[in-house]
Amino acid sequence: MIPPIASRFVAGESPAAALDHVDDLNDQGVKAILNLLGEHYEERPPADEDAAAYEDLVRDISGSGLDACISVKPSQIGLDVGDDVFAENLADIAAVADEHGVFTWVDMEDHETTDATLDAFEDLTTEYEGGVGVCVQANLKRTEEDLERLADLPGKVRLVKGAYDEPRELAYKNKERVNEAYRTYLKFMFQEFDDGVAVGSHDPEMIALARDLHDEYGTDYEIQMLMGVRDDAQVELAAEDVEVWQYVPYGDKWFSYFYRRAMERKENMLFALRAVLGR
Ligand code: FAD
């Protein structure tokens, strides 16, 4: 069982617990992106197992009538075993998701995975006419070129600042430089993307910029935030008719995810400490 301390960031261990959380979210006008926790499998069996779990989840989402989609990590479904294993598993998930009318997102991991992830995305989003989305990272210098390629494809793209510690020659390391890249890429996406823009950020400045760009260019957009981070803002934005999606992790591999969330900000760490101390 997930201790109450972690349940701010993780919806539960089972798909049923995650869907219960989605039900509450949908009642508040927020949609859900479900992520089964797991990454960096070096053998094929656990990768195949998680791919099958995503296919079951898609069937559960479809049967529940809830407003939810899925987001998959490449190394969770076989990228560390081989590009072909990842591509095969992602194709199987996307086929079942398409059959059930559920959208599939592909998360982006460190720079060594970018080419394989974008290639698999391109194949599938072309096949399913935009039923698949991919994440790109503003801290990577290559993203400017990747966005040019993505602008010609169907499917949604989520822009994030980037969560991985990348080498200096490949990535902006300075926070303000990453923010500048984020603003530039967001503007490009609102100008050039036909299938909408996904703003994967908690940053009030980037969210305000997205609203301004929407007013200027008319492009559809959605805000995506993590479970447990600015939850009130998510509900408030949804009440203002902004499309808001909450990224909802679940599963038994919750500890390292919870630890990362708790450590990344002082407020989160204090929250975790208070929960441990019971005050
Ligand atoms: P930051 O630059 O961290 O902070 C900017 C401002 O946002 C802060 O000053 C504050 O006002 C507000 N803020 C940020 N965090 C908090 C908080 N905890 N509490 C209160 N206010 C806060 N990264 C990847 O590399 N690959 C992925 O596939 C990926 N998918 C993601 C999916 C979603 C839905 C989201 C939201 C993020 C994802 N990320 C991913 C992580 C992302 O790259 C960033 O590391 C993360 O979102 C932090 O950047 P930020 O833009 O939210 O804000």
Side-chain angles (χ1 to χ4, degrees), residues 8-9 33 71-73 106-110 134-139 158-164 166 175 178-179 182 199-206 223-230 245-247 261 264-265 267-268:
R8 167 174 167 187
F9 300 109
I33 305 169
S71 204
V72 181
K73 279 206 174 2
V106 189
D107 285 354
M108 188 60 80
E109 298 180 276
D110 69 80
V134 74
C135 177
V136 293
Q137 299 147 325
N139 65 331
R158 173 201 304 153
L159 181 65
V160 299
K161 291 186 186 174
Y164 295 83
E166 302 286 12
K175 207 167 163 40
V178 175
N179 286 341
Y182 196 101
V199 181
S201 177
H202 311 102
D203 191 338
E205 187 202 327
M206 301 310 164
I223 304 294
Q224 300 185 354
M225 297 196 215
L226 304 180
M227 177 179 174
V229 181
R230 302 196 68 214
W245 290 80
Q246 182 181 95
Y247 187 100
R261 291 283 83 77
E264 77 191 351
R265 280 178 78 84
E267 302 91 281
N268 292 350

Side-chain angles (χ1 to χ4, degrees), residues 194-214:
D194 298 327
D195 285 355
V197 175
V199 181
S201 177
H202 311 102
D203 191 338
E205 187 202 327
M206 301 310 164
I207 293 167
L209 177 62
R211 291 182 120 165
D212 290 348
L213 290 168
H214 168 71

Side-chain angles (χ1 to χ4, degrees), residues 19-242:
L19 291 173
D20 274 352
H21 176 76
V22 175
D23 204 3
D24 287 346
L25 273 182
N26 284 179
D27 283 347
Q28 299 174 83
V30 177
K31 303 173 189 196
I33 305 169
L34 286 163
N35 172 256
L36 170 61
L37 291 165
E39 59 194 321
H40 295 304
Y41 298 141
E42 284 171 7
E43 307 286 340
R44 181 149 192 172
D48 289 350
E49 222 172 89
D50 276 15
Y54 271 115
E55 290 168 30
D56 288 342
L57 178 65
V58 158
R59 294 186 190 97
D60 289 348
I61 291 172
S62 164
S64 69
L66 293 169
D67 223 332
C69 63
I70 58 169
S71 204
V72 181
K73 279 206 174 2
S75 74
Q76 174 179 26
I77 56 165
L79 190 57
D80 293 355
V81 186
D83 290 7
D84 53 335
V85 178
F86 159 59
E88 207 180 293
N89 274 332
L90 186 63
D92 288 348
I93 294 169
V96 178
D98 182 69
E99 194 187 315
H100 289 83
V102 173
F103 192 85
T104 303
W105 280 102
V106 189
D107 285 354
M108 188 60 80
E109 298 180 276
D110 69 80
H111 73 275
E112 290 184 358
T113 69
T114 314
D115 283 325
T117 304
L118 293 182
D119 289 349
F121 165 74
E122 176 163 359
D123 288 349
L124 294 172
T125 200
T126 307
E127 182 171 351
Y128 296 114
E129 296 171 351
V132 183
V134 74
C135 177
V136 293
Q137 299 147 325
N139 65 331
L140 284 191
K141 294 176 183 170
R142 61 171 288 166
T143 294
E144 183 173 0
E145 239 174 75
D146 290 336
L147 284 173
E148 304 263 357
R149 169 184 176 188
L150 294 171
D152 293 333
L153 298 174
K156 285 195 278 189
V157 176
R158 173 201 304 153
L159 181 65
V160 299
K161 291 186 186 174
Y164 295 83
D165 187 16
E166 302 286 12
R168 186 163 295 280
E169 60 279 16
L170 302 178
Y172 305 119
K173 306 297 277 182
N174 173 284
K175 207 167 163 40
E176 195 33 57
R177 184 64 189 87
V178 175
N179 286 341
E180 189 188 322
Y182 196 101
R183 287 188 284 266
T184 305
Y185 298 154
L186 202 59
K187 182 166 184 195
F188 175 83
M189 291 168 75
F190 272 89
Q191 286 173 315
E192 302 296 333
F193 281 34
D194 298 327
D195 285 355
V197 175
V199 181
S201 177
H202 311 102
D203 191 338
E205 187 202 327
M206 301 310 164
I207 293 167
L209 177 62
R211 291 182 120 165
D212 290 348
L213 290 168
H214 168 71
D215 290 345
E216 191 173 348
Y217 298 104
T219 312
D220 289 337
Y221 75 109
E222 63 193 55
I223 304 294
Q224 300 185 354
M225 297 196 215
L226 304 180
M227 177 179 174
V229 181
R230 302 196 68 214
D231 286 336
D232 291 349
Q234 297 177 28
V235 174
E236 280 160 25
L237 283 165
E240 292 166 23
D241 270 348
V242 176

